[in-house]
Amino acid sequence: MIGAVDIGGTKIAVGMINCEGKVLARRECLTDADRGYPDALRRIIEMLRATAQTANMQISGIGIGSTGPVYPLTGEIGDVNFFPHWKGENPVRDLSQSFQVRVAMENDADAAALGEASWGAGHSKSKLIYVTVGTGIGTEIILDGQVYRGVDQSHPEIGHHVIDPSGPPCLCGFRGCWESLAAGPAMVAWVERNAPPSYPHVADLTAKKICELAEQGDSWAMRAGEHESRYLGLGLANLVTMFVPDVIVLGGSVMKSASLFLEKIRKMIGTSCRFVPYEKTELALASLGEDSNPDWSRQSLVLPLLPRGRNQCNLTAP
Ligand SMILES: [Zn+2]
C-alpha cells in the first residue's frame, strides 16, 4: 500500500494506492502555501493517516509528486513559484521520519509519466516519452521504468527544441522552440494575429475556447487548429526520428481536443520519419486522468501510426 501525495500550487491531494495502481481512498485540501511548510506537512500527515485508516491498510511506502523544481535525490524542494518560502524544506526526510517507511519524490510531470508507464497508456512499454501540451510543453523520457536524467540529474527540456529559428522568442533563449510555437498560448497568439478585428471571440480567447470553436466548425478556430497540428506534428516527428520510442503518450489540456490534431500529426510522422521504423511507435492519449494530474484527460486510446506506403523507399518491392 503506497501513500501518494500530490503537492500542487492550488491543492494538495493524498491517496492510498494498491499494487495494481488502484486508488482506494483519497483526500485533498488547499495548499495554502502562506500558512508555511510545517502547517502543510502536518495536513499531509493527517491526510495520509486518515486515508490509510479508510483503506484499512498499513502504509509500506510514500511517493510524492510536486510542482517543481524539486530535487529527487536529496528530497528537497527548490525555488517553486507557488511556495517560495518552502525552499530547502525536505518532505522526503520528514515523511520518512513520521511513518518509518521509504519515501520518494519526483516533479509532478515525471511522476505522472511514471504512472502512465506503470499503470496507464504506456503499460508494458519499455521506451516511453510523455508529452503534455497545455500552457507549456513538458516532456519526460522513461526507459525501462526509470526517469531519464541528464548530467547532475538534470531534466532535459525537449519542449524547447527548435522548430523554426525565425519563430517567436522564448525565455529558454531560443527563437521558435516547440513550446513557443505549439503550446496553448501560441494558438491564441495565432488567432489574435490573423483573425480580423470583427472576429467575435477575440476578446476572451483561450486555447480551450479555440478547440471548442473548432469542434463547432468556426473557420478561424479550425485554421488555428491546422496551424497547431503542423507544429505539434513537427515536434512529435522529431521525437520519433531521434528516439523511436515504443510509445508517445500525449496529455495536457490541449490534448483533450486531440481529435482535432491527430490525423495531421500522423501524416507528418509518416512523411518525415522514413529512416526509422516510425510505424512501430504508438501515439496514445494519457489514461490516468485526475489520478495523475487534474489537467489531463481520462480518455484512453492507442493510435497506431499509418503503415509505410508504397511511395516510400522499399528495396524489396517488386
Ligand atoms: Zn523555449
Side-chain angles (χ1 to χ4, degrees), residues 159-160 170-174 177 179-180:
H160 292 271
C170 174
L171 289 175
C172 69
F174 282 131
C177 69
E179 179 171 302
S180 75

mmCIF file of all heavy atoms in Angstrom, residues 159-160 170-174 177 179-180, ligand 1:
data_model
loop_
_atom_site.group_PDB
_atom_site.id
_atom_site.type_symbol
_atom_site.label_atom_id
_atom_site.label_comp_id
_atom_site.label_asym_id
_atom_site.label_seq_id
_atom_site.Cartn_x
_atom_site.Cartn_y
_atom_site.Cartn_z
ATOM 1 N N GLY A 159 10.744 20.150 -24.753
ATOM 2 C CA GLY A 159 9.717 21.103 -25.184
ATOM 3 C C GLY A 159 10.318 22.387 -25.751
ATOM 4 O O GLY A 159 9.626 23.177 -26.385
ATOM 5 N N HIS A 160 11.624 22.575 -25.533
ATOM 6 C CA HIS A 160 12.269 23.799 -26.018
ATOM 7 C C HIS A 160 13.262 23.510 -27.140
ATOM 8 O O HIS A 160 14.186 24.291 -27.361
ATOM 9 C CB HIS A 160 12.942 24.546 -24.857
ATOM 10 C CG HIS A 160 11.940 25.097 -23.893
ATOM 11 N ND1 HIS A 160 11.380 26.349 -24.038
ATOM 12 C CD2 HIS A 160 11.342 24.532 -22.815
ATOM 13 C CE1 HIS A 160 10.501 26.543 -23.058
ATOM 14 N NE2 HIS A 160 10.460 25.458 -22.306
ATOM 15 N N CYS A 170 11.667 32.945 -26.851
ATOM 16 C CA CYS A 170 11.180 32.246 -25.662
ATOM 17 C C CYS A 170 12.164 32.487 -24.526
ATOM 18 O O CYS A 170 13.341 32.778 -24.761
ATOM 19 C CB CYS A 170 11.071 30.749 -25.956
ATOM 20 S SG CYS A 170 10.635 29.748 -24.508
ATOM 21 N N LEU A 171 11.699 32.353 -23.286
ATOM 22 C CA LEU A 171 12.578 32.541 -22.122
ATOM 23 C C LEU A 171 13.735 31.553 -22.101
ATOM 24 O O LEU A 171 14.757 31.783 -21.462
ATOM 25 C CB LEU A 171 11.767 32.387 -20.826
ATOM 26 C CG LEU A 171 10.781 33.516 -20.529
ATOM 27 C CD1 LEU A 171 9.958 33.184 -19.290
ATOM 28 C CD2 LEU A 171 11.536 34.836 -20.330
ATOM 29 N N CYS A 172 13.603 30.425 -22.833
ATOM 30 C CA CYS A 172 14.682 29.428 -22.839
ATOM 31 C C CYS A 172 15.932 29.967 -23.534
ATOM 32 O O CYS A 172 17.023 29.425 -23.366
ATOM 33 C CB CYS A 172 14.224 28.137 -23.515
ATOM 34 S SG CYS A 172 13.948 28.279 -25.300
ATOM 35 N N GLY A 173 15.785 31.012 -24.352
ATOM 36 C CA GLY A 173 16.932 31.571 -25.071
ATOM 37 C C GLY A 173 16.826 31.397 -26.568
ATOM 38 O O GLY A 173 17.431 32.147 -27.335
ATOM 39 N N PHE A 174 16.066 30.386 -27.010
ATOM 40 C CA PHE A 174 15.886 30.169 -28.451
ATOM 41 C C PHE A 174 14.769 31.052 -28.999
ATOM 42 O O PHE A 174 13.897 31.515 -28.264
ATOM 43 C CB PHE A 174 15.467 28.724 -28.720
ATOM 44 C CG PHE A 174 16.576 27.720 -28.661
ATOM 45 C CD1 PHE A 174 16.430 26.557 -27.910
ATOM 46 C CD2 PHE A 174 17.752 27.894 -29.382
ATOM 47 C CE1 PHE A 174 17.439 25.606 -27.863
ATOM 48 C CE2 PHE A 174 18.759 26.944 -29.335
ATOM 49 C CZ PHE A 174 18.599 25.804 -28.571
ATOM 50 N N CYS A 177 11.231 27.841 -30.494
ATOM 51 C CA CYS A 177 11.257 26.493 -29.900
ATOM 52 C C CYS A 177 9.837 25.909 -29.979
ATOM 53 O O CYS A 177 8.864 26.609 -30.256
ATOM 54 C CB CYS A 177 11.759 26.543 -28.468
ATOM 55 S SG CYS A 177 10.619 27.335 -27.336
ATOM 56 N N GLU A 179 7.737 24.816 -27.733
ATOM 57 C CA GLU A 179 6.731 25.400 -26.829
ATOM 58 C C GLU A 179 6.228 26.746 -27.332
ATOM 59 O O GLU A 179 5.037 27.051 -27.257
ATOM 60 C CB GLU A 179 7.339 25.549 -25.424
ATOM 61 C CG GLU A 179 6.376 26.172 -24.439
ATOM 62 C CD GLU A 179 6.891 26.119 -23.002
ATOM 63 O OE1 GLU A 179 7.165 25.024 -22.494
ATOM 64 O OE2 GLU A 179 7.009 27.194 -22.387
ATOM 65 N N SER A 180 7.153 27.555 -27.868
ATOM 66 C CA SER A 180 6.740 28.892 -28.318
ATOM 67 C C SER A 180 5.801 28.806 -29.521
ATOM 68 O O SER A 180 5.042 29.730 -29.784
ATOM 69 C CB SER A 180 7.972 29.739 -28.657
ATOM 70 O OG SER A 180 8.538 29.330 -29.887
HETATM 71 ZN ZN ZN B 1 11.673 27.777 -25.382
#
